[in-house]
Amino acid sequence: MHMADALVSPAVGGAMWAASAGLIGYCSRKVKKELDNGKVPLMGVLGAFIFAAQMINFSIPATGSSGHLGGGMILAILLGPYAAFLTIASVLTVQALFFADGGLLALGCNIFNLGFFPCFIAYPLIYKKIAGYRTTPVRIVTGALLASVFGLQLGALGVVLQTVLSGITELPFNSFILLMQPIHLAIGLVEGVATAAVVLFIWKSRPEILEKTAAAVPLGGIPLKNIFVGILTAALFIGGVFSWFASTHPDGLEWSMAKTSGSEELKIPETSLQGSLSRVQDKISFLPDYGFKNVAEPEGREASEASSWPSVDAGTSLSGLVGGALTLVMVVLIGFLIKKRGARIDRLKAEG
């Protein structure tokens, strides 16, 4: 559900950039009391895992569409809403800058749609009410399913409203929303199952993580080595190998656009702000669309083989590994900077 710049006007894109930037600043202030030497690296490895998981599109039967994990609910449950929002914002930033996944103008929209709704609406109002303080396997599964579906429905609605407010006439509200909401309901159900599976794994390994996250306190001295190794191993295999098995069908947003406008992509005028940002993105992204730049498409029989499934591709594997590493480094760096700044402010308050 990564929006391209063609779907967003400069006014809407700028407004959503401001909203997401404000949320990032707010979360940075709120999260500093929860950060410790365990939580910061946990943010990093979970960010790497979500980056890799988002590379795998799963087919939605009988639709010709696909979906991928959003990851906001997993992060909110395991990290709390503030750290989760900073982590998903980092994932989406790495994707936009280095892999041309989602537009630069639309980055604020994508951060808001995939971060705000699961972290600040679905998590506290649904998951936390169901499983946050009375954790059992049944409550985890129920809460994860309902919260994932609700969060993704709000995110899909956000996409529709942002395109309408941007004046994208190719995607009229009534037609677009009647396609976006049902297909993302199906995607949300799959995401709910995946979210429940990840959370159950952590709960069985270290239930204290869920307990302390729900209470918004530092993780303290919880042994996390095995958790780190398990999550990083999963991220390496998902990004490096399992990404070959991603569905080749268009994702829910592209499918809805194709059904509404007849095309999975809308053209951007070369002289527009979107066109300028697209050229900047082309220069920055060194593995666009999770593959090598300027790779010519083979013809004839080889073209058929190139589109075969699974798509065993070195560029895809490298993208999964490099993207996960970049996300981990970015998230850990942000976490430690926030932690260091918080400690400095506390010291100044104590001295003053």
Side-chain angles (χ1 to χ4, degrees), residues 3-9 106 166 168 257 265-268 274:
M3 297 178 72
D5 282 347
L7 300 179
V8 183
S9 68
S166 295
I168 308 300
M257 289 173 58
E265 296 183 6
L266 302 182
K267 291 185 178 179
I268 301 175
Q274 293 94 323

Side-chain angles (χ1 to χ4, degrees), residues 225-309:
K225 181 180 178 180
N226 291 341
I227 296 293
F228 292 159
V229 171
I231 296 173
L232 279 177
T233 301
L236 289 171
F237 275 98
I238 292 170
V241 179
F242 296 159
S243 55
W244 298 341
F245 297 86
S247 171
T248 57
H249 293 313
D251 68 19
L253 173 56
E254 294 167 339
W255 178 87
S256 299
M257 289 173 58
K259 294 289 185 181
T260 305
S261 69
S263 175
E264 295 174 12
E265 296 183 6
L266 302 182
K267 291 185 178 179
I268 301 175
E270 290 291 326
T271 57
S272 65
L273 174 62
Q274 293 94 323
S276 299
L277 289 174
S278 179
R279 290 189 289 275
V280 171
Q281 190 175 43
D282 288 341
K283 293 179 180 179
I284 295 174
S285 57
F286 52 82
L287 287 166
D289 296 321
Y290 305 101
F292 295 121
K293 276 189 175 181
N294 303 321
V295 177
E297 289 290 335
E299 298 179 357
R301 176 174 171 272
E302 289 153 343
S304 176
E305 291 175 354
S307 62
S308 63
W309 185 90

